[in-house]
Amino acid sequence: MLGPVRIIGRKLLGVAALTTLTVAAACVSGAGAIADGEMPAEIKVVSVTDHTGISAYVGNSQFEGIELAVQEINEQGYLGDSKLVLQKRDSASDTQTAVSQSIQTIADGSVSAFLGPVLSPHAVAVAPLVERAELPTIFTQAGSEGVVIGDYTYRATAPMETYFAKSLARLRDEGAKTVSVLYNAGNVTLAALGEKMIPDAQDEFGYRVLSSTSVQSTTQDFGTTATRIAEEKPDAVIVLLVGAGNSTAMSQLRQAGYDGPVVGNPAAGAGNLASAGPAGAGMFWATDFNFHQTPPSSQEFVEAYRARYGTDPLNYAAEGYDATWMIARAIESAGGASREDIQRGLQQVVSEGFEGALGNVWFVGNDMRVDGVMVEWDGSEEVLLAEGSSE
């Protein structure tokens, strides 16, 4: 789950200034608003996500899931004679751009629902604005606190800490008594795992942390840390990095002489370990979705995604797909497409849960939960290890 680089003071000031200047106008505009209980011919949904920038691989995958869901909803006539109309905006991995585009979305009274940005700094900045404007908004990824804050904010990605315990349970089952940890301190979600969850879980899962090393998002060389970890001779290593950093770390750990198991995170997926070659084998991680998982609703999504895009879906696509179907279910449940209708319908959706691309989905408040699955990189592809909710 993404929660990249923490916003520094200057950036926050820029966002705050932009918000102060424009949010009042954004919240009062009602041109083209849909009346409660009305099912217009077109129901506008806006997506603000990263089509370019450092997180484009996340945003583009998420948007493919969104597009697929809109296509299915409209082709099936799920909303009767009404059609979802999707409008996309590129936040380009920039917080001020995401906020500005979100304010434009809020100000357009013809917009019924909003699919929010994937990065935590973006979502945390946007969430108070959509709450104040009472615009139903579903975020995916964006795993930090301050995203799901009220009746109009929802998250269609289960927090990583709710299923990461599966990886720790596997270490316990394999008899690991000592672990060394390497984590990205610039990523809100990964930092929380490295600094709190993993140390706090030592007694529960029967391991002892030998060392814990933090690096920044810009770090590209882990050679010194890998050598020290190998010298510690841990039973297992936990590597919590993003994207290509996982491949580099695995290569350097193997070069340093460590040949044991490595716990990763979903950001090691999407082929990010491929460049490590055989050195990448042996990393496993818990994730909210993998295209191998067997629930019928998951496999229906995988088949539909392959038919449209000709490749296997990532977890980001599954999350975007389920988020969009949440909006459609809310409209159908409420019998209307106004912002108030959709908010009321979303409350029904989260109270009941559903079977979606992610499998069995339920909610704690407005925050999604899933069973999660375990996968392992075998040197060439991800292999499903386990399914179900048990640890």
Side-chain angles (χ1 to χ4, degrees), residues 9-211:
R10 182 175 297 177
K11 196 73 167 181
L12 278 172
L13 288 173
V15 173
L18 175 62
T19 301
T20 300
L21 289 172
T22 57
V23 72
C27 291
V28 298
S29 175
I34 298 169
D36 291 349
E38 181 183 357
M39 289 290 289
E42 295 185 346
I43 302 169
K44 186 186 293 186
V45 176
V46 172
S47 163
V48 169
T49 196
D50 298 339
H51 294 283
T52 57
I54 61 172
S55 297
Y57 72 98
V58 177
N60 286 324
S61 175
Q62 176 220 31
F63 192 75
E64 287 178 345
I66 293 170
E67 284 189 309
L68 176 59
V70 169
Q71 174 187 317
E72 291 181 350
I73 291 160
N74 290 341
E75 289 182 352
Q76 293 174 15
Y78 184 81
L79 299 175
D81 293 332
S82 298
K83 303 287 186 184
L84 291 186
V85 175
L86 178 62
Q87 184 177 97
K88 73 172 183 177
R89 293 173 178 166
D90 178 13
S91 48
S93 303
D94 179 74
T95 304
Q96 290 192 7
T97 300
V99 171
S100 177
Q101 292 175 342
S102 298
I103 289 173
Q104 294 171 23
T105 300
I106 291 167
D108 184 351
S110 68
V111 176
S112 294
F114 182 31
L115 293 159
V118 295
L119 297 182
S120 284
H122 301 188
V124 169
V126 166
L129 307 184
V130 296
E131 274 292 336
R132 188 181 309 164
E134 299 184 346
L135 173 62
T137 300
I138 304 177
F139 297 96
T140 62
Q141 293 295 304
S144 69
E145 295 182 1
V147 175
V148 181
I149 60 173
D151 293 338
Y152 289 84
T153 47
Y154 301 78
R155 183 160 43 205
T157 301
M160 195 183 300
E161 65 268 19
T162 63
Y163 55 81
F164 186 79
K166 287 180 175 290
S167 293
L168 302 181
R170 186 165 191 248
L171 288 183
R172 179 193 60 203
D173 294 344
E174 293 184 349
K177 300 299 182 183
T178 58
V179 302
S180 299
V181 183
L182 170 63
Y183 69 94
N184 183 338
N187 181 296
V188 175
T189 301
L190 300 182
L193 294 177
E195 296 168 4
K196 182 169 176 56
M197 183 176 182
I198 292 169
D200 289 353
Q202 291 179 90
D203 290 341
E204 180 181 356
F205 293 99
Y207 60 79
R208 177 170 59 91
V209 176
L210 298 177
S211 67

Side-chain angles (χ1 to χ4, degrees), residues 148 153-159 350 362-369:
V148 181
T153 47
Y154 301 78
R155 183 160 43 205
T157 301
V350 301
W362 70 99
F363 291 82
V364 175
N366 292 349
D367 212 6
M368 183 179 281
R369 298 291 187 270

